[in-house]
């Protein structure tokens, strides 16, 4: 065999390496290592002139193995591999020694030792380079369908972008309708468009899109496989209403008896809904479902039971069944608590599961028990035309009287009280070491938005916003804040620390204005708490095998460079599931996630590094130890009808678990063979002895 | 001096007073007195960082006064001397990033206070002297002028009865007589 | 170069030596002065500006109209007059309604102000219109070994948008320093150069707080420049730094004494005018610095 000719290229990385490691000494040391024909150093090896040093040596026939001692292969291996490839050298003849992240940075204050360690790392890389073998890339086929989880504004945009590009999309939403939290908002900053007006057409687009299959009232059960070939089980919950027949007429809603009323999620619990319900007027799909937990089982009839028959042979139907003009509503349908499981195969997954807002109950010091202390999302519902009072501004304590008031006709007996003074309180649960340390990012702006909306509709309202500081960092946001101030909204610069309920139900808000430097008190009829945005449940992340940050939001691969990627290839994230953000940012991220998924899938196949495990059939005893250990289920114990381990190359991720465990040493991992790894360890042992 | 702004500011009392007693927001009153930019204030405090009043320990210097006005505090400030100590240096105007013109806020407060006769004697004396002699700073002793070889009287209203009368007519046609600070026949 | 000499109250009655100085130097520098007979207080801040904007502008407009009638600008050696008149003019020029209301009042005394004439500061007239060369030539004495700290004064600088002449960087003003340098002095900068001296309403409201500011400035001058002389362009700064300094020294709060001159006084001294006339009024003694200028500074 021809002797390898190794070139070693030591990078200064500006001062990043050279600040701790004596680069010249490392280079001189490398020159004397076996099979090394040349060693060079340069300020930035990854720069064009740096790469040219390597390329020229290959071109001139000087070297046929390349060792780069620099930073991490995670970011830079592709660059140097391309440089080798460009000069016709197999790119797997490259080996990197990380003398920055693993040497100069951690040993910044121990210069001599750092230099010694750098020498060891280089020697070890050279030892491996001597044994490198050329490898060829592989390609795997990809399924080009995409699964989007979550039907809020982020999920909707991701689905539409991908669907519009011609790919098939499955959009899974756990609620009966898509729309998410945005559907609950009345208006949206900084332009004050009506939320429904801009959202509803998008929801309808999704429902009518030929490339989008909508799976509402459904949840992801499990996810297996890898990028290009995820196998997903989706569980569709039982609705007890045949959606093929349901026209969304709503006749059943009024039939449901008052005893079955439960807090209405869409109105954030400010009023109630029946056990059979359509989430909101613009719901997509506009279909009814029966909430089996809320249902009082009229007539004592269990779900799945056929109705009793009267003496004259008539069925005794439940009120909802009776009211349904199309026969869609049927409690007779066999009970299926597990729901229907749909199996999908997709190439990529976008997670857009959104957020929930923190409930007020945690904040006892802010009179959470008072009905007139509400969260900001409740305030959205209170001022919305589709809200519990159809947009009529009254104090929340009087909401239960609203329906009666409306029925009786205006001006009769029942009096609804309108607020004269409203106080908003910022950072409730955000920027807190008791609850969430992060800033929820949207509260300052939505408080200003609600205040502005109120002030425009009711100029005589006294409105106070108790801010720690006003964070209005988006485009056109500070101007929005100032416009709000000019409308007469008063800013108290300090976070309220106490609210006491007065005998008449009003609220004494106690805050502190740091501008003046004194405590302030204000009697308010209504207090709005800007409670924190919280991540939705972590259950799904576990099923997907993607990680969460300490606060429970989905973690991106890299905050700046890969903001919508996850560590699991083929799974992307967007919207508030990734962290608190406003609508413009959610939409931008959704579009980014859609583009990233499409960039991955568009070619229909994917390049895979050949750094995978292979079985030597001569040595394999067919013991089967390896198969259950493989986290990717890539090993079967059958080969040509014999009991031998066989590795599926498209499933193998090259983790090396099988190779390490094989008692016959029959499995080797390309790029990390026993021989190569032992040669590296031997080098360290030699240093140890010396 | 006794502090008349209470230790805890009762905002409810203040807005009710604005609505029921004054019939106008205090901030609007102040705007009417020439501080049109007051609403643009974001309480950054740049004005106070270089304000001679803030740096010498007066209570209600520019930033705090603006916030107090925004809250509807008014009468409680009438006993405070801060606005009358303003040297009108205008450095606040130069540094204000929001074009609030804090100097005009200080002076608008003076103009409001003077209407309420919450005015220090020195200011009344200066106004009376302007009316009587055409000079805010005026002395009858002329040794200094004589010492440096100048005519006893400067070529001002001091030496020109007609001009002085002209100035008086002018002043009588301003808001000054309405205030009734001193007789202006 | 003809200007209406606007005196103001401070110079007329408290520091007429400044008036004498400006009247002495002007003809030799080619500046003709008109007396503007019948002028009044500018008006200063504590008078009508504290009452009403229109009244402020009306009194100012009457003074400016005295120049406008003769087709000349005004020149003043007092920063307050400069600032009050400039700001009044700015208000009138930028708000037609103010201008109209003011002229309605002026009409009652048979006057009108069109906004043409403005009030210039003597320092700017010397710097821009007379020019440093002419000043250098006119001076008989050179301030060779004399260290100067300058006090431009707030109203010479701010608010820059209302002033007819502006420093390129009002936070690092150079005009007064250049004017002193051309006389041969060693002009040294100091940290608190653009800070307020503590005069005016602050002094009449709370003398102790006023002294606090003066002391801060004087100590800074002493420590950072070791100046022989403080030169200002403002009559109020002149009085404050001169009088407060002597008071602080007598009380034992400071242990130094730095004479203070208005720039036109310094110029008059350099041009050889009688110190008794052009710089004869002070509290902090000037004798030593004057003899130093006259005796050892001969060109």
């Amino acid at each position: 065999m021809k002797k390898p000719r190794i070139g070693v290229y030591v990078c200064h990385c500006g001062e990043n390496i050279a600040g701790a490691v004596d680069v010249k000494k490392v280079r001189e040391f490398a020159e004397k290592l076996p099979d090394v024909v040349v060693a060079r150093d340069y300020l930035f090896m990854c720069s064009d002139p740096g790469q040219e040093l390597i390329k020229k040596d290959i071109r001139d026939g000087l070297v046929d193995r390349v060792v780069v001692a620099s930073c991490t292969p995670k970011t830079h291996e592709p660059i140097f591999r391309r440089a080798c490839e460009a000069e016709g050298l197999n790119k797997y003849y490259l080996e990197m020694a990380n003398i920055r992240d693993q040497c100069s940075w951690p040993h910044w204050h121990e210069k001599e030792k750092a230099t010694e360690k750098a020498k060891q790392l280089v020697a070890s890389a050279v030892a491996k380079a001597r044994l490198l073998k050329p490898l060829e890339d592989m390609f795997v086929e990809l399924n080009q369908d995409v699964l989007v989880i979550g039907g809020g504004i982020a999920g909707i945009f991701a689905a539409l972008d991908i669907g519009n590009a011609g790919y098939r999309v499955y959009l899974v939403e756990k609620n009966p309708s898509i729309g998410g939290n945005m559907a609950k908002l009345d208006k949206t900053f900084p332009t004050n468009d009506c939320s429904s007006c801009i959202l509803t057409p998008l929801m309808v687009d999704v429902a009518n899109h030929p490339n989008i299959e909508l799976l509402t009232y459904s949840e992801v059960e499990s996810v297996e496989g890898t990028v290009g070939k995820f196998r997903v089980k989706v569980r569709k919950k039982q609705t007890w209403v045949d959606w093929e027949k349901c026209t969304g007429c709503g006749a059943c809603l009024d039939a449901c008896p008052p005893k079955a009323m439960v807090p209405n999620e869409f109105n954030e619990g400010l009023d109630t809904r029946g056990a059979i319900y359509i989430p909101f007027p613009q719901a997509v799909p506009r279909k009814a479902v029966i909430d089996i937990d809320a249902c009082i089982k009229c007539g004592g009839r269990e779900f799945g039971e056929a109705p009793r028959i009267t003496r004259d042979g008539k069925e005794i139907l439940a009120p909802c069944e009776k009211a349904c003009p199309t026969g869609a509503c049927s409690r007779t349908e066999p009970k299926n608590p597990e729901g229907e499981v749909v199996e999908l195969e997709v190439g990529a997954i976008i997670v857009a599961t959104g957020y929930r807002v923190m409930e007020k109950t945690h904040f006892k010091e802010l009179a959470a028990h008072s009905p007139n202390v509400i969260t900001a999302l409740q305030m959205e519902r209170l001022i919305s035309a589709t809200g519990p009072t159809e947009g009529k501004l009254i104090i929340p304590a009087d909401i239960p009287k609203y329906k009666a008031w409306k029925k009786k006709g205006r001006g009769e007996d029942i009096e609804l009280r309108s607020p004269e003074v409203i106080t908003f309180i910022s950072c409730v649960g955000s920027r807190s070491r008791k609850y969430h340390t992060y800033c929820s990012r949207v509260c300052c702006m939505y408080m200003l938005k609600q205040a502005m909306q109120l002030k425009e509709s009711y100029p005589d309202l006294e409105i106070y916003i108790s801010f720690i500081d006003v964070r209005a960092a988006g485009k056109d946001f500070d101007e929005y804040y100032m416009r709000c101030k000019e409308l007469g909204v008063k800013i108290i610069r300090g976070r309220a620390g106490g609210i006491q309920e007065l005998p008449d139900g009003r609220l004494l808000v106690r805050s502190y204005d740091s501008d003046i430097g004194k405590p302030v008190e204000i009697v308010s009829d209504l207090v709005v708490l800007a409670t924190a945005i919280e991540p939705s449940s972590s259950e799904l992340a576990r099923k997907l095998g993607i990680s969460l940050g300490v606060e429970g939001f989905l973690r991106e691969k890299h905050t700046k460079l890969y903001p919508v990627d996850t560590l699991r290839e083929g799974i992307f994230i967007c919207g508030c599931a990734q962290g608190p953000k406003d609508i413009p940012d959610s939409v931008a991220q959704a579009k980014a996630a859609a583009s990233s998924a499409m960039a991955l899938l568009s070619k229909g196949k994917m390049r895979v590094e050949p750094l995978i495990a292979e079985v030597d059939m001569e040595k394999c005893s067919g013991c089967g130890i390896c198969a259950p250990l493989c986290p990717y289920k890539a090993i079967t114990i059958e080969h040509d009808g014999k009991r031998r381990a066989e590795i599926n190359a498209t499933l193998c991720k090259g983790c090396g678990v099988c190779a390490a465990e094989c008692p016959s040493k029959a499995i080797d991992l390309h790029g990390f063979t026993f021989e190569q790894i032992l040669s590296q360890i031997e080098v360290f042992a030699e240093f140890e002895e010396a | 001096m006794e502090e008349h702004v209470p230790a805890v500011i009762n905002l409810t009392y203040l807005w009710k007073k604005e609505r029921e007693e004054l019939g106008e927001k205090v901030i609007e009153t102040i705007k009417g007195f020439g501080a049109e930019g007051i609403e643009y204030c974001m309480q950054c405090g740049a004005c106070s960082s270089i304000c001679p009043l803030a740096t010498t320990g007066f209570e209600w210097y520019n930033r705090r006064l603006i916030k107090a006005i925004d809250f509807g505090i008014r009468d409680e400030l009438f006993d405070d001397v801060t606005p009358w100590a303003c040297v009108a240096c205008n450095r606040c105007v130069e540094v204000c990033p929001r074009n609030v013109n804090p100097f005009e806020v200080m002076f608008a407060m003076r103009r409001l206070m003077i209407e309420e006769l919450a005015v220090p004697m020195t200011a009344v004396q200066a106004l009376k002297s302007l009316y009587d002699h055409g000079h805010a700073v005026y002395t009858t002793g002329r040794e200094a002028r004589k010492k440096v070889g100048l005519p006893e009287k400067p070529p001002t209203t001091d030496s020109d009865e007609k001009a002085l009368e002209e100035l008086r007519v002018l002043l009588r046609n301003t808001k000054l007589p309405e205030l009734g600070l001193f007789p202006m026949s | 170069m003809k200007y209406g000499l606007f005196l103001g109250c401070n110079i007329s009655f408290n520091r007429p030596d400044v008036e004498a100085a400006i009247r002495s130097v002007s003809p030799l520098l080619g500046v003709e002065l008109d007396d503007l007979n019948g002028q009044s207080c500018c008006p200063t801040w504590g008078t009508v500006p504290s009452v009403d904007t229109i009244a402020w502008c009306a009194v100012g407009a009457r003074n400016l109209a005295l120049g406008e009638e003769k087709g000349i600008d005004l020149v003043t050696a007092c920063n307050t007059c400069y600032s009050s008149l400039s700001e009044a003019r700015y208000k009138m020029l930028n708000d037609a309604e103010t201008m109209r209301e003011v002229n309605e009042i002026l009409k009652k005394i048979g006057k009108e102000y069109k906004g043409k004439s403005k009030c210039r500061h003597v320092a700017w007239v010397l710097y821009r219109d007379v020019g440093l060369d002419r000043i250098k030539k006119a001076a008989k004495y050179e301030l060779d070994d004399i260290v100067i700290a300058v006090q431009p004064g707030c109203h010479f600088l701010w608010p820059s948008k209302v002033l007819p002449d502006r420093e390129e960087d009002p936070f690092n003003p150079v005009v007064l320093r250049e004017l002193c340098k051309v006389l041969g002095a060693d002009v040294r900068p100091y940290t608190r150069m653009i800070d307020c001296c503590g005069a005016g309403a602050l002094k009449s409201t709370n003398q102790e707080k006023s002294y606090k500011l003066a002391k801060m400035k004087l100590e800074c001058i002493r420590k950072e420049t070791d100046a022989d002389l403080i030169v200002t362009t403002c009559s109020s700064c002149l009085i404050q730094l001169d009088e407060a300094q002597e008071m602080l020294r007598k009380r034992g709060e400071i242990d130094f004494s730095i004479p203070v001159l208005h720039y036109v006084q310094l110029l008059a001294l350099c041009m050889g005018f009688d110190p008794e006339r052009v710089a004869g009024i002070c509290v902090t003694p000037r004798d030593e610095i004057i003899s130093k200028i006259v005796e050892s500074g001969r060109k």
Side-chain angles (χ1 to χ4, degrees), chain A residues 101-116:
Chain A
D101 309 33
Q102 294 171 3
C103 185
S104 65
W105 281 353
H107 307 297
W108 194 254
H109 300 292
E110 309 164 278
K111 314 245 178 232
E112 267 180 40
K113 285 185 184 167
T115 304
E116 278 314 299

Side-chain angles (χ1 to χ4, degrees), chain A residues 450-466:
Chain A
Q450 293 181 348
M452 188 189 288
Q453 241 183 294
L454 289 165
K455 202 74 185 166
E456 278 170 355
S457 305
Y458 312 96
D460 280 346
L461 263 182
E462 281 294 317
I463 300 181
Y464 297 86
I465 309 184
S466 193

Side-chain angles (χ1 to χ4, degrees), chain A residues 420-421 455 460-462 464 478 481-482 485-486 488 490-493 506 513-523, chain B residues 3 5-12 15-16 18-19 25 39-44 60 63-64 67-68 70-71 73 98:
Chain A
E420 261 191 313
V421 184
K455 202 74 185 166
D460 280 346
L461 263 182
E462 281 294 317
Y464 297 86
D478 213 74
Y481 164 36
M482 287 301 145
K485 258 194 84 210
E486 282 162 34
K490 288 188 177 151
I491 309 299
I492 299 165
R493 196 139 66 175
R506 289 186 302 159
D513 185 66
S514 59
D515 297 331
I516 282 186
K518 286 176 188 256
V520 299
E521 288 188 352
I522 171 92
V523 176
Chain B
E3 164 79 287
V5 177
V8 177
I9 297 170
N10 184 336
L11 294 174
T12 305
W15 75 257
K16 282 199 168 153
E18 278 180 334
R19 199 167 288 188
K25 295 216 170 235
E39 269 173 351
Y40 304 129
C41 178
M42 60 179 181
Q43 291 285 304
C44 71
W60 293 94
R63 173 182 158 175
R64 289 185 85 218
K67 189 65 186 253
D70 185 37
F71 275 165
I73 300 173
R98 309 267 321 161

